[in-house]
């Protein structure tokens, strides 16, 4: 009977891509990220539910295993979770077996059985096996293993009640799993060959293949999508369509969000006209700062719709296969593409996903280049600058291509960086690439929706926490100090200017711009301006860059405040304010070249404290995050300067 103090713990164990996380989400009601390739789960994840007579049962989703002999960091996490001496040791196991890869799952089971945990087997993919004409005899599997067997289809909630009953029975009346060798009448430990022989025999007894094997749709599609030429062409084409769609489809929604925040600013600012500083704080600081960032939520959602849908079809595993040759040139293999792909969403899960790399040097090289991938926080910067300076000059098609190209800058730079790291610093060797290619399937739209909601929520929460605080701080440093005598002096300065220069702006805007320039932050910006001037950046751009070092999500709101205070743009639209910005001699601050240089800077610069802290945790040293910060920031600065010099040379 269950005790009042002990919470039973059930570990979900199985091969990568067997369906553990889908089953975990179905049982616990969780929303952990699922994927049909290795490396999606690299940490223990827990969830607690009520189960029959048990008020609480803790389920643990651990990283996938092919064997209890760990060869990578994520597998070590899984093996440690199964240790009998661990304080987090489970009370029983649910071994998740993909029936379409049953022999491999049985090999792992043969090792788990030696550990002696009470066990229940959950068989997945039975619906897929049925579609391909395979017959599965679950009673035969139960007889061969000696433990209860339940068929489940997690995304349809099929078999979950039967599985819950089996788990409850096993917790109430635990039966220790018999080692395979003992079950066969032997007391010696089986060799690897003997385990495979047992697995193959059980699989042959359990699964009946169709009398006539046909070429599957997956095999037909793979002839094209994994082709060495057509496969790469289709991959590049898909990526282009994705980024062109982001740019095209999100624009009307962005305009709507911008209009809402403009109206909100007018409504909130009207009753505060008698208190200028408070009106400026609310309208120019909080509403403008948050609105400038939330306007990019549609792009974030569209981006993750495409990524989650492609993951769900099984295509991303093929993309890793295609990338193997590209990454092989610099010393890594296609397995590194999985953490690099995760880094396009956010560098932190990408760095953690590098645990799937089988050797420490390849893992470290992958960690050091993962932040070069264009994470979603860079997307708003690209969209603002492309919309303001690329599309008006070259049209929407080239604007979409520019967005597509900017997301590949980090990957193209990462390849020579890895080459140098492997040859000069880490001296790693390229290991063979082995990855299971899952069957193609329609994406599970619930998982796609969950991914979009999670990423959108993360973006909004960041806006609600860091960006609001930073927006208020930046506004205060830009607004103060100010006094009436300074305003009179700047007004007199305007009136003494040549008439031709007075036509370019109103007296009020000139005074506002001079007040901003001489604020606390303006003085600091002008102090550091000489550092960034070789890249064509003035004090406002330089200040926005520095404000973004803790978290690059801040940059758009920072630019919104920096360029809106003192701008001629009546609606405080950031793109209009950037177009209107001038150097003191009246030249436009931004040209298309300036925009490209600034995008390259943000594409390559290391501007995320959370990423540096994660690298510190994963490498157990401050040496590597410091190295990463220096080389990335140096590359960013040099690339921006080089682009500005090229622009000057071309004229």
């Amino acid at each position: 009977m269950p005790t009042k103090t002990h919470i039973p713990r059930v570990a979900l164990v199985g091969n990568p891509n067997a369906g553990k996380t889908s089953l975990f989400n179905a049982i616990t009601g969780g929303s952990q990220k699922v994927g049909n390739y290795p490396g999606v789960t690299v940490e223990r994840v827990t969830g607690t539910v009520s189960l029959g007579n048990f008020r609480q049962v803790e389920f643990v989703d651990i990283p996938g295993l092919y064997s209890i002999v760990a060869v990578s960091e994520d597998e070590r996490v899984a093996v440690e979770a199964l240790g009998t001496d661990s304080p987090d040791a489970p009370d029983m196991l649910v071994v998740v077996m993909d029936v379409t890869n049953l022999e491999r799952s049985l090999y792992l089971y043969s090792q788990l059985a030696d550990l002696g945990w009470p066990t229940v087997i959950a068989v997945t993919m039975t619906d897929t096996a049925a579609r391909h004409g395979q017959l599965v005899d679950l009673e035969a599997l139960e007889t061969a293993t000696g433990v209860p067997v339940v068929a489940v289809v997690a995304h349809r909630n099929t078999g979950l009640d039967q599985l819950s009953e089996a788990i409850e029975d096993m917790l109430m009346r635990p039966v220790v799993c018999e080692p395979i060798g003992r079950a066969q009448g032997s007391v010696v430990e089986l060799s690897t060959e003997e385990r495979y022989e047992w697995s193959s025999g059980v699989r042959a007894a359990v699964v009946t293949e169709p009398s006539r094997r046909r070429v599957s749709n997956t095999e037909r599609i793979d002839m094209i999508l994994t082709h060495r030429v057509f496969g790469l062409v289709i991959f590049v084409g898909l990526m282009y369509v994705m980024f062109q769609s982001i740019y095209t489809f999100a624009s009307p929604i962005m305009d709507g969000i911008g209009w809402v925040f403009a109206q909100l600013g007018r409504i909130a600012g009207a009753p505060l006209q008698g208190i200028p500083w408070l009106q400026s704080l609310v309208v120019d600081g909080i509403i403008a700062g948050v609105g400038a960032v939330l306007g990019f939520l549609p792009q974030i959602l569209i981006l993750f719709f495409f990524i989650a849908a492609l993951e769900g079809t099984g295509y991303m595993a093929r993309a890793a296969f295609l990338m193997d040759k590209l990454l092989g040139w610099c010393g890594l293999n296609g397995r590194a593409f999985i953490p690099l792909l995760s880094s396009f969403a956010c560098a932190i899960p990408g760095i953690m996903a590098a645990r799937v790399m089988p050797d420490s040097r390849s893992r470290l090289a992958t960690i050091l280049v993962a932040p070069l991938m264009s994470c979603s926080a860079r997307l708003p910067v690209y969209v603002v600058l492309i919309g303001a300076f690329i599309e008006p000059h070259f049209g929407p098609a080239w604007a979409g291509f520019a967005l597509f190209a900017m997301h590949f800058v980090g990957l193209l730079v990462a390849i020579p960086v890895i080459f140098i790291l492997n040859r000069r610093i880490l001296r790693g060797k390229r290991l063979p690439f082995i990855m299971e290619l899952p069957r193609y399937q329609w994406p599970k739209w619930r998982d796609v929706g969950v991914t979009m909601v999670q990423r959108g929520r993360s973006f909004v929460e960041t806006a609600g926490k860091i960006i609001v605080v930073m927006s208020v701080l930046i506004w205060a440093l830009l607004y103060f100090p100010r006094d009436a005598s300074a305003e009179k002096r700047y007004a007199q300065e305007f009136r003494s200017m040549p008439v031709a220069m007075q036509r370019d702006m109103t007296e009020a805007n000139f005074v506002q711009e001079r007040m901003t320039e001489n604020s606390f932050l303006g003085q600091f910006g002008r102090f550091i301006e000489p550092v960034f001037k070789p890249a064509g950046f003035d004090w406002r751009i330089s200040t926005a860059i520095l404000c973004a070092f803790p978290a690059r999500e801040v940059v758009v709101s920072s630019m919104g405040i920096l360029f809106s205070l003192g701008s001629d743009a009546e609606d405080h639209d950031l793109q209009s304010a950037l177009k209107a910005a001038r150097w003191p001699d009246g030249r436009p601050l931004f040209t298309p070249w300036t925009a490209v240089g600034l995008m390259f800077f943000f594409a390559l610069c290391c501007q995320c404290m959370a990423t540096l802290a994660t690298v510190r945790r994963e490498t157990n040293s401050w040496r590597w995050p410091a190295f990463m910060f220096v080389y990335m920031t140096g590359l960013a600065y040099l690339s921006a300067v080089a682009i500005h010099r090229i622009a000057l040379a071309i004229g």
Side-chain angles (χ1 to χ4, degrees):
M1 293 292 293
T3 65
K4 293 183 178 179
T5 54
H6 177 64
I7 298 177
R9 181 176 292 121
V10 180
L12 303 182
V13 193
N15 293 151
N17 191 29
K20 298 183 303 302
T21 303
S22 294
L23 183 58
F24 174 85
N25 287 341
I27 293 174
T28 64
S31 54
Q32 292 299 312
K33 178 179 174 58
V34 297
N36 47 21
Y37 50 84
V40 175
T41 304
V42 294
E43 286 190 310
R44 292 171 79 253
V45 178
T46 62
T48 304
V49 296
S50 171
L51 189 71
N53 290 320
F54 295 90
R55 294 182 61 185
Q56 288 183 309
V57 174
E58 183 182 71
F59 284 83
V60 185
D61 181 22
I62 64 175
L65 286 168
Y66 291 110
S67 160
I68 61 172
V69 180
V71 296
S72 60
E73 188 61 31
D74 61 325
E75 291 186 355
R76 272 188 280 279
V77 171
V79 172
E80 288 173 2
L82 300 174
T84 53
D85 298 331
S86 169
D88 298 325
D91 294 283
M92 65 166 286
L93 306 181
V94 172
V95 179
V96 183
M97 292 189 180
D98 173 2
V99 75
T100 61
N101 286 302
L102 190 58
E103 185 175 338
R104 199 178 55 202
S105 294
L106 285 166
Y107 177 83
L108 174 63
Y109 172 81
S110 73
Q111 293 182 317
L112 294 172
D114 291 349
L115 300 178
W117 293 110
T119 300
V120 170
I121 292 176
V123 177
T124 61
M125 305 288 182
T126 51
D127 53 340
T128 302
R131 282 200 300 274
H132 290 82
Q134 293 177 318
L135 301 177
V136 183
D137 187 344
L138 297 182
E139 291 184 3
L141 181 60
E142 191 165 305
T143 301
T145 57
V147 300
V149 175
V150 180
V152 295
V153 182
H155 66 277
R156 294 177 182 167
N157 292 329
T158 302
L160 295 183
D161 292 340
Q162 293 88 334
L163 179 62
S164 298
E165 290 173 4
I167 293 171
E168 184 186 1
D169 287 344
M170 190 59 70
L171 289 172
M172 296 282 287
R173 293 173 287 278
V175 178
V176 175
C177 189
E178 287 287 334
I180 300 303
R182 186 175 301 168
Q184 291 182 316
S186 171
V187 293
V188 297
E189 184 177 346
L190 298 180
S191 66
T192 300
E193 291 76 14
E194 288 170 327
R195 291 184 190 279
Y196 272 117
E197 185 179 347
W198 176 83
S199 305
S200 177
V202 173
R203 196 262 179 199
V206 170
V207 179
T208 302
E209 297 288 350
S211 56
R212 184 179 177 185
R213 186 182 182 280
R214 294 175 299 178
V215 177
S216 68
N217 291 333
T218 292
E219 290 170 321
R220 291 193 187 95
I221 297 171
D222 270 343
M223 290 178 188
I224 301 172
L225 295 189
T226 60
H227 189 274
R228 63 176 62 183
V229 177
F230 300 134
L232 284 172
V233 171
I234 292 172
F235 173 73
V236 174
L238 279 174
M239 295 299 106
Y240 176 75
V241 169
M242 180 172 78
F243 289 111
Q244 182 70 50
S245 301
I246 291 170
Y247 193 82
T248 303
F249 296 150
S251 294
I253 309 173
M254 282 183 65
D255 293 341
I257 294 174
W259 181 85
V260 169
F261 273 89
Q263 298 306 312
L264 190 60
R266 291 190 178 95
I267 294 171
L272 301 175
Q273 286 185 345
I275 315 173
W277 70 268
L278 184 58
Q279 183 191 43
S280 181
L281 168 62
V282 173
V283 177
D284 300 322
I286 298 174
I287 295 177
V290 175
V293 174
L294 291 186
F296 298 97
L297 185 59
Q299 283 95 336
I300 302 292
L301 295 178
I302 294 173
L303 172 67
F304 284 104
F305 167 79
F306 277 101
I307 290 177
L310 288 174
E311 285 179 345
T313 61
Y315 180 74
M316 285 308 184
R318 274 76 182 178
F321 174 78
L322 293 169
M323 290 296 109
D324 182 53
K325 288 188 180 299
L326 182 64
L327 294 173
W329 175 81
C330 56
L332 290 181
N333 63 34
R335 201 175 180 88
F337 184 68
I338 299 302
L340 298 183
L341 175 68
S342 300
S343 299
F344 277 97
C346 175
I348 293 172
I351 291 166
M352 295 175 65
R355 295 176 183 181
V356 301
M357 301 302 292
D359 73 302
S360 59
R361 292 180 180 179
S362 296
R363 178 172 172 245
L364 182 56
T366 306
I367 288 174
L368 291 176
V369 298
L372 283 171
M373 305 305 110
S374 270
C375 66
S376 56
R378 292 173 168 112
L379 180 60
V381 183
Y382 299 155
V383 173
V384 164
L385 295 173
I386 290 171
F389 303 104
I390 305 298
E391 183 177 354
H393 286 80
F394 305 103
W398 280 103
F401 177 78
L403 186 61
F404 160 78
M406 287 310 304
H407 280 83
F408 277 83
V409 167
L411 181 61
L412 295 177
V413 171
I415 292 171
V417 170
I418 296 171
F419 180 84
I420 295 170
L421 286 172
N422 272 329
R423 294 295 189 281
R424 301 295 181 187
I425 301 175
L426 303 177
R427 301 186 187 281
K429 294 181 180 178
R430 183 174 190 262
L431 298 175
F433 175 48
I434 301 174
M435 173 178 273
E436 173 193 352
L437 297 182
R439 295 174 187 272
Y440 288 107
Q441 60 184 359
W442 286 106
K444 298 178 178 63
W445 298 113
R446 177 187 178 278
D447 294 339
V448 174
V450 167
T451 299
M452 293 173 66
V453 169
Q454 286 180 336
R455 294 300 177 183
R457 182 190 302 157
S458 172
F459 185 76
V460 172
E461 286 177 351
T462 303
K465 295 176 182 175
I466 300 175
I467 294 173
V468 169
V469 173
M470 289 297 294
S471 295
V472 172
L473 179 63
I474 293 168
W475 169 85
L477 292 174
L478 277 173
Y479 192 84
F480 297 106
R482 62 179 56 205
D483 56 68
S485 61
E487 289 188 35
K488 291 179 181 176
R489 187 170 65 255
Y490 297 141
Q492 185 61 39
E493 187 178 326
F494 177 82
R495 292 173 197 135
S496 63
M497 290 168 55
V499 176
M501 293 184 67
Q502 291 183 5
R503 293 198 190 103
D504 293 336
M505 66 174 66
T506 64
E507 179 180 314
N509 282 321
F510 177 82
V511 172
Q512 182 64 50
E513 190 171 290
R514 295 285 287 130
M515 297 285 280
T516 302
E517 191 175 335
N518 288 286
S519 65
F520 292 126
L521 195 57
Q523 294 177 46
F524 175 73
R526 285 188 295 146
F527 174 73
I528 62 169
E529 185 182 73
V531 177
F532 290 94
K533 206 165 186 177
F537 303 157
D538 78 337
W539 70 270
R540 289 166 290 186
I541 302 175
S542 307
T543 304
I545 288 172
L546 292 184
C547 289
F549 270 101
R552 58 173 63 88
E553 286 90 345
V554 172
V555 68
V556 172
S557 62
S558 302
M559 292 175 73
I561 298 169
L562 279 159
F563 284 91
S564 292
L565 283 175
S567 166
D568 282 334
E570 294 180 357
D571 56 359
H572 283 204
D573 172 68
L574 177 55
Q575 291 183 346
S576 302
L578 295 178
K579 292 176 184 176
R582 294 287 187 274
W583 287 99
D585 61 5
R587 287 179 295 125
L589 175 60
F590 280 94
T591 66
W593 284 101
T594 312
V596 171
L598 188 55
M599 285 193 290
F600 264 74
F601 187 92
F602 279 105
L604 302 178
C605 190
C606 184
Q607 293 173 300
C608 183
M609 292 300 293
T611 295
L612 294 172
T614 304
V615 175
R616 161 69 180 82
R617 190 183 66 180
E618 293 294 304
T619 62
N620 199 30
S621 167
W622 277 111
R623 174 189 174 194
W624 294 113
F627 171 79
M628 188 173 74
F629 177 82
V630 170
Y631 99 78
M632 286 184 63
T633 305
L635 275 178
Y637 181 79
L638 292 176
S639 64
V641 172
I643 290 169
H644 183 62
R645 291 296 156 192
I646 292 172
L648 292 178
I650 294 175

